[in-house]
Structures are given as structure tokens and as C-alpha cells.
Amino acid sequence: MCGVRKIEEINTQKELPAAEPDRQFYFMEKCRKWAKGFEAENGRVPTACVVNMGCQMNARDSEKLVGILEESGYRIKESEDADFVIFNTCTVRENANNKVYGRLGVLHGYKKKNPDMVIALCGCMMQEPAVVDKITRSYPFVNLIFGTHNIYKFAELLYTAVSKRGTVVDIWESSDNIVEDLPSERKYPFKSGVNIMFGCNNFCSYCIVPYVRGRERSREAKDILNEIETLAADGVKEIMLLGQNVNSYGKNLKNPVTFAQLLKQAEQIEGIERIRFMTSHPKDLSDELIEVMKQSKKICKHLHLPLQSGSSRILKLMNRNYTKEQYLGLVEKLRAAIPDIAVTTDIIVGFPGETEEDFEETMEVVCKVKFDSAFTFLYSKRTGTPAAKMEDHASKEEVKQRFDRLLKKVQTIAAEKAMAYEGAIQKVLVEHRNEQDGRLFTGRMSNNAIVHLPGTADLIGQIIDVRLTECKGFYYLGEVC
Ligand code: SAH
Ligand code: SF4
Ligand code: F3S
């Protein structure tokens, strides 16, 4: 737990504090009293389950929810048959939405057995008015709905939900507030995500994120560095700096700071051995950043650089602000500076108007760049985005065929690239015991590749030398040197 404030400092007999985060600590204390009452009545501590359905930024938010629930007197459990269950939702593609409705049905089943169960929904999907409308009308057993802008108020909302019947709905359209110093739990003791900015200003024409996460807001560098120092003191070795477009970090601060400058300062923090970040937008990738990465001993040899499409025509329609040639030029410059860097990407297939020629250009870029791995997505129409109004030319079958061709190409290239490391010795941060084979442990190389190796539980959290004995395409088998 890295809550900076102690809950005991807040006395709930006193007046409700107006300032944050004090106000939230006041409500955590109220929840704790409620939890004590629950325990006296039921002979057990109330349980809670947090389900993360989104990206790394949502995952970090989920850790904050867990931290607040623990401070509020709940025992966290993995299964969804808990007294309090919260889904932290994603809405980037339509199928992310559909999953939520399916899983709500399962929760309803649990609630029939435990009528006092409290069901909550938060995250990006809740920022869409049509969704909230549908849930309040068709899923009346949901007790609490809030969005991305007021997540810092979770303790207050939780207290309202447990002490009141009916559905509590609190959605804000935007927020300038960045509330620091709330409790947070970490999934891993040795690595952690660190938000450096929130929201996005890029408005890629297919993307809903700017609408549900709001305008770009950077945290002050000193607050970020303080958090990293606290994490390092708590045993964290690897940090992942998080933002939708980390390359534009700090531009709108009163005293502007570049992302490269922030990285340089983070690198000075003792105890931190690895630094990762995501996501980099190609349009804002600076020479200064490449230079800092080249000089660094801690920044991992990995850059996730979403391409989206290899056709300059489609990139323009996507409002990505770079061309195919500029993207290729960037990768060339990056590899000239850091030859062993892994470059990974995101690609969308079937954007409105994408022709066979456009798709061939994407294939061409994939063959030229030889990505170490790529996430491939079928274009998903998101209501309210400019692309939703664009004409769609290719048929479903055509798009699916393109997707399969791309996936095959991406996988073949990734496997070829991975083979180059077979037999090599690499530093691996061992993360956890392998779920399929309990004799193996799983870790990551600096370039983010996964390695499974036999060992003992004390390796977890250590960065060790591993010989990569066999490349299995997407991962390696290795042995401790
Ligand atoms: N901020 C990051 C991406 C966040 S969303 C960036 O710009 O790189 C993660 C990925 O989801 C995107 O890179 C894109 O490839 C994909 N994506 C976003 N909206 C989509 C949509 N409407 N349909 C299909 N894929 C989408
Ligand atoms: Fe979406 Fe583009 Fe912002 Fe990424 S940069 S979150 S793809 S709008
Ligand atoms: Fe999804 Fe929201 Fe992340 S829409 S991808 S969880 S920012």
C-alpha cells in the first residue's frame, strides 16, 4: 500500500473536510465504520472484487480502486461472488462494450443469492450517455455508476452506495482536477505503472478515447518523481510511465517540461532499474527522446509506436498527422541510434474507405519495418467519432481476409526476429509463477519479450541473467546462468 496519508489522521466526528484528498480519507473512515458493522452482523469482513477491462491506464486506476477498498475495510478477492464488485470498463472497440453486458448477467445471478451485494460500474464506457441510459433502464440491479473524471471520489461514492438503496449515478463531463496522494495497491511489489498524464488531444478520427478521457492534462514533474521515489523506496525496480501520448507530456504545464527531460530525471532515482513507457505517438517522437533513450542505462530497449495504417491517404483520414514515409524515416533514425531496440505497433484493418491498395501499403510497411510484435485490430465504428460518418467501402469478408493476411505476416516476421536471440544471454525480470506449468517462472527481457524458465519462487522480483535456450515464436524457454 502506498497511501501517503494515514486514515487515522482523519476524525469523522469532525466536519467534512472541503479539500481533497482529505475529504476522501474522511469517507474511507466512514466506510470502515460501516464495514465493522457488517462484520459484527455477518461474522465476516465484507469482500470486494475489482475487474479491470481496459488498457494499462485503466489497470492503474483499478489499483487505486483496490487501495481505497482496502483502506475502507474490505478484503479483496479474485472471484466475482463478492459483497462489492466493480467493473472498470473500456469502450475503445464495440466488443469491449458487449462483454460488459454479458458479464452483468452473471453478476445478477450472484446478487440473487446475496441481495445486499453492491454492483458498481466505472471507467471509459460510463462516459457515454447512451450506455448509462441503457444500464439504468435495463439493469436496475446496478447500484453505482461513475466515470473517468471523478474516480478520485470513489470513497465518497462507495459510502453513498453502501448506505443508500437504489442506483447512484455520478458522471462528470470533464475535470481539470488531478488529485494526488490517494491510497493505491500494486499488483506486483516490484513493478508499477505511473500516470504521467491523463486524457488525449489528438482526436484520431476513429478513436473514442478523447471523448471519454477528456483533454490532455500532465501531472507536475515533481509529483511524478516523488511518486517514483516512494515506489523505489518500497522495492519497485521497474516503472511504466503511462499516458495516451507520452511524447507530448508537459507541453501544457505552467513551466513546460519535455518527456525526454522527465525521463532523464526519473533515471536518477536510485533503486529504479528499468523504465518503460507507453504510448508514443509518431508525430511527437523527438530527436531529444531518441538521444535520451540511447544514453540511458535504465530505459528499456523497446518502443511501442502505433502505425495504424501504412497508407498516407488513410493516415490523413485517420488524422494521425504523419505519412508512411515519415513513419519509416522515424524507425530508421531510431534503429540507427539504438540498433537492438524492439519496435512494436498497433494496426487497424478496415478503416472506412480502405482499399486493397491502401492495405498493400500497410503490408509493405510491415515487411520493411519488421515489427517485433504487433497488435492488429478490426476497425470498430464508435458513435460520435468523425470516422463513424465516413463511407465504408470494403465488405466484411474482404476486411476479415485482409486481417488474416496481416496477422499471418506479422506473426511470421515476429517469429523470425525472435529467433535471432536464441542462445543469447539476456537480463530478465522474473514476474510470476507460470499459470500452466507450476515448475516454470515467467519474466520479461528489456525488449519486453517473454521468457519461461525453471527456478524457485525467490527469483520473483529479481533481474537475473538468463540463457535463451529455445525460441518458441512468441516466447522463449530459458535457464538461469
Ligand atoms: N493512445 C494510443 C492508443 C490507445 S487505444 C495511441 O495513439 O497509440 C489502443 C489502440 O486501439 C490504438 O492504437 C488503435 O490501434 C486501436 N483502436 C482505437 N480505436 C479503435 C477503433 N475504433 N477500432 C479499432 N481499433 C481501435
Ligand atoms: Fe486515440 Fe489517437 Fe488519442 Fe491514441 S492518440 S488515444 S489513438 S485519439
Ligand atoms: Fe479503453 Fe479507456 Fe483505455 S477506452 S483503451 S480503457 S483509455
Side-chain angles (χ1 to χ4, degrees), residues 99-145:
K99 263 190 226 156
V100 171
Y101 297 117
R103 288 178 72 166
L104 271 178
V106 179
L107 286 194
H108 198 195
Y110 290 130
K111 192 160 180 164
K112 282 180 188 149
K113 289 191 200 130
N114 175 11
D116 292 331
M117 176 181 184
V118 174
I119 297 176
L121 294 169
C122 69
C124 296
M125 194 176 152
M126 300 306 124
Q127 290 298 137
E128 293 179 90
V131 168
V132 176
D133 226 45
K134 176 168 171 170
I135 290 170
T136 45
R137 264 188 294 111
S138 310
Y139 301 82
F141 56 88
V142 172
N143 305 83
L144 170 62
I145 303 172

Side-chain angles (χ1 to χ4, degrees), residues 48-66:
C49 172
V50 177
V51 181
N52 185 57
M53 297 174 156
C55 62
Q56 275 95 343
M57 268 147 281
N58 259 35
R60 185 71 189 123
D61 283 345
S62 293
E63 291 183 342
K64 292 176 186 168
L65 297 175
V66 168

Side-chain angles (χ1 to χ4, degrees), residues 25 227 325:
F25 280 94
E227 181 176 339
E325 289 72 26

Side-chain angles (χ1 to χ4, degrees), residues 54-55 57-58 89-92 124 208-209 212-213 244:
C55 62
M57 268 147 281
N58 259 35
T89 61
C90 171
T91 186
V92 78
C124 296
I208 201 163
V209 170
V212 295
R213 284 272 170 180
Q244 292 298 353

